[in-house]
Amino acid sequence: MATTAPVHPVDEVPPVRQLAAFGLQHVLAMYAGAVAVPLIVGGAMKLSPADLAYLITADLLVCGIATLIQCVGIWRFGVRLPIMQGCTFAAVSPMVLIGTTGGGLPAIYGSVIVAGLAIVVLAPVFGRLLRFFPPLVTGTVILIIGLSLLPVAGNWAAGGVGSQDFGEPKNLALAAFVLAVVLAVQRFAPAFLSRIAVLTGIAVGLVVAVPFGFTDFGGVQAADWLGISTPFHFGAPSFEVSAIVSMLVVALVTMTETTGDLIAVGEMTGRRVEPRSLADGLRADGLSTVLGGVFNTFPYTAYAQNVGLVGMTRVRSRWVVATAGGILVLLGLLPKLGAVVAAVPAPVLGGAGLVMFGTVAASGLRTLARVDFQDNHNLTVVAVSVAVGMLPVGVPTVYEKFPDWFQTIMNSGISAGCLTAIVLNLVFNHRPAKAGAAPRAATPPTGTGG
């Protein structure tokens, strides 16, 4: 009797009840970051509350569509791994500059469309660069991704950047409580509940937060039931050279970051990213970015927040994240639902974020454990790359005297650390050894970076 081939965990379809719970967990993990970009850009441009609300619903709608493209795949678009998509923070500064001094939203959207098309064209080129990402580089990049996200969780735990009660002990106490709930559920609860430990922690934290006045549901009542994002709502796009050049630099940064995220998820799920699948994932980024320019939102990239959730829960199904994409589409079409999710207080997200983002960093260490550090320079590669990657995280103003294009690249700790790791690995491990140096053991074709 013929036997069916086993289904890879990435392609498994959990029961509907689990899909909904796991998917909602992914939405809550990325929601605050997703809406932050339109809030920052719209706020800098002094848009009206109605226009800000429109930017947010448009962003959520395209986030969902982009996630579906990435997870489900359409022809050669989509890596078909559990990857959440969201607006990239790398584009915030250039977009604020374009929006306030260089032509407003139409100029932003024109440059975003061109950048998206450029990503689609360049995706196969980046796919062929995968050989420059041996475990030495990938482990370092995954470690930097996790470490660079930890300050985000810290800011949430303290109450959210700009909040009047930032750093109040009550905020940190709520975050610590949520963290304790997440850990307790993961350790002692039945298998299914342990896999939605983050969702459970957020739900319990929200229940505790309401009577203590941490959150306000007034925005839910004011939100509309239905919101449809129409193409070019703010006018036809304009294509200005300076805006396009700055957004092309952002495109290179987001492609570098997405490459790191895709490799990280491939490591966690046991489905290694190959040159073709990497190109497909980057191509999906480009298509989503073009859609962003058409539907009144911004450039898109893989969200590292959710990489940690995949590693922590060990739920590897791409259909879970596709369900999260469907939920985001609903939130984009039904602003009242989006307002409910937005009411989750920052400290609750911070408590959950600490364990999720720490998991990403720990996954990087696990990858580095496969690297040979004996009688070579691999420790130097890791040390310098992490240092360069953490520099803009620890000292955000360190590059403020440099040109804008340089800041766009280096202010992202992920892209700065990734580029450093690639260059140092080439310098130390792909150049002829110095005369008199000790002979090194041969490395396998896949490379260990050593």
Side-chain angles (χ1 to χ4, degrees), residues 173-185 197 201 347-348 350-356:
L174 178 59
F177 171 73
V178 171
L179 175 59
V181 171
V182 170
L183 296 176
V185 170
V348 171
L354 285 171
V355 65
M356 287 192 303

Side-chain angles (χ1 to χ4, degrees), residues 11-360:
D11 298 318
E12 287 181 348
V13 182
V16 174
R17 177 174 63 95
Q18 294 184 16
L19 276 175
F22 293 150
L24 180 58
Q25 188 169 235
H26 273 281
V27 170
L28 292 173
M30 61 82 69
Y31 188 91
V35 301
V37 174
L39 281 174
I40 294 169
V41 176
M45 296 178 63
K46 296 180 170 54
L47 298 182
S48 68
D51 284 342
L52 274 177
Y54 192 95
L55 283 182
I56 290 171
T57 54
D59 173 36
L60 293 174
L61 175 65
V62 181
C63 274
I65 295 171
T67 298
L68 287 168
I69 294 171
Q70 194 69 275
C71 296
V72 179
I74 303 172
W75 187 53
R76 295 294 303 278
F77 294 85
V79 72
R80 294 167 176 82
L81 285 172
I83 291 286
M84 286 290 290
Q85 297 283 105
C87 281
T88 174
F89 283 85
V92 168
S93 295
M95 288 192 301
V96 168
L97 190 64
I98 296 167
T100 54
T101 65
L105 286 172
I108 291 176
Y109 294 141
S111 64
V112 168
I113 291 171
V114 174
L117 293 173
I119 292 173
V120 172
V121 172
L122 292 173
V125 177
F126 258 72
R128 289 193 290 270
L129 297 178
L130 195 59
R131 62 193 180 91
F132 296 113
F133 287 84
L136 174 65
V137 174
T138 58
T140 303
V141 172
I142 297 168
L143 175 61
I144 292 171
I145 291 172
L147 293 177
S148 64
L149 286 172
L150 286 174
V152 175
N155 283 322
W156 286 346
V161 176
S163 62
Q164 293 183 342
D165 61 349
F166 185 85
E168 288 284 344
K170 65 175 184 177
N171 292 334
L172 296 169
L174 178 59
F177 171 73
V178 171
L179 175 59
V181 171
V182 170
L183 296 176
V185 170
Q186 192 175 22
R187 174 63 180 86
F188 299 109
F192 171 69
L193 272 181
S194 70
R195 291 184 172 183
I196 55 169
V198 170
L199 178 60
T200 305
I202 290 174
V204 173
L206 184 58
V207 169
V208 171
V210 170
F212 286 96
F214 278 92
T215 189
D216 179 16
F217 287 96
V220 178
Q221 186 175 357
D224 295 328
W225 276 107
L226 186 65
I228 304 295
S229 180
T230 54
F232 307 125
H233 173 79
F234 295 98
S238 61
F239 300 94
E240 302 184 10
V241 174
S242 60
I244 290 172
V245 170
S246 62
M247 205 56 64
L248 288 175
V249 175
V250 170
L252 293 174
V253 173
T254 58
M255 292 178 80
T256 305
E257 292 182 348
T258 296
T259 297
D261 290 334
L262 297 185
I263 292 172
V265 171
E267 293 269 351
M268 291 177 179
T269 58
R271 175 173 283 178
R272 186 173 177 178
V273 174
E274 302 293 341
R276 173 168 174 156
S277 55
L278 174 59
D280 291 347
L282 293 172
R283 207 176 277 115
D285 261 14
L287 175 59
S288 303
T289 297
V290 172
L291 291 176
V294 173
F295 286 95
N296 319 293
T297 178
F298 308 116
Y300 284 85
T301 187
Y303 254 31
Q305 289 94 317
N306 298 85
V307 174
L309 193 55
V310 171
M312 176 189 163
T313 63
R314 299 184 299 280
V315 176
R316 296 180 278 177
S317 171
R318 61 190 172 106
W319 298 106
V320 164
V321 180
T323 301
I327 294 172
L328 285 172
V329 170
L330 280 177
L331 294 178
L333 296 174
L334 303 172
K336 199 171 283 290
L337 284 180
V340 172
V341 176
V344 177
V348 171
L349 296 173
L354 285 171
V355 65
M356 287 192 303
F357 304 160
T359 300
V360 179

